[in-house]
Amino acid sequence: MINPGGLENPVGYSHLAKISSGRLVLVAGQAPFNAEGKVVGKGDFAAQFRQVWENLRTAIEGAGGRPEDFATLTMYVTDVKAYHDNRKEIGASYRAIFGKHFPAITLVQVTGLYNPDCMVEVSGLACID
């Protein structure tokens, strides 16, 4: 992860992810579904993020990697204000999975997701050595 001078100081993300070796793994958008396909945390923004972080860990481990292998994450949320209002709890659940690994992250507000009960979806690119 690289944060060049001349750019704002990133908090909770990195500006660049430089990949020089390893296998690239593209992880499809993970929504707050449990293994049975049920939405977790309906109406609870932070609970949905907790489930998504767990799903990302399960996905990357399925490819033989670990959460620290993610180079980029793209977060789609239906309400940026709710994201900010729940930032501390979301951050705590993120660190429980990713530790202090902060890849290049983009946050995008969308008008809706595949399932109307979902408020968050996160996709990513990882590099597994």
Side-chain angles (χ1 to χ4, degrees), residues 25-95:
V25 177
L26 302 165
V27 179
Q30 297 299 304
F33 295 112
N34 63 18
E36 292 76 40
K38 304 290 183 197
V39 174
V40 172
K42 184 177 175 181
D44 184 337
F45 207 76
Q48 290 202 1
F49 259 103
R50 270 193 308 279
Q51 183 64 44
V52 167
W53 300 145
E54 290 287 346
N55 291 351
L56 287 167
R57 175 171 51 193
T58 300
I60 197 63
E61 287 176 352
R66 53 199 172 105
E68 296 82 14
D69 293 329
F70 277 99
T72 66
L73 295 174
T74 302
M75 304 188 309
Y76 302 95
V77 299
T78 58
D79 187 345
V80 170
K81 183 181 180 323
Y83 175 83
H84 287 291
D85 291 346
N86 291 275
R87 204 171 43 203
K88 286 184 182 180
E89 192 173 347
I90 292 167
S93 64
Y94 175 90
R95 288 186 302 279

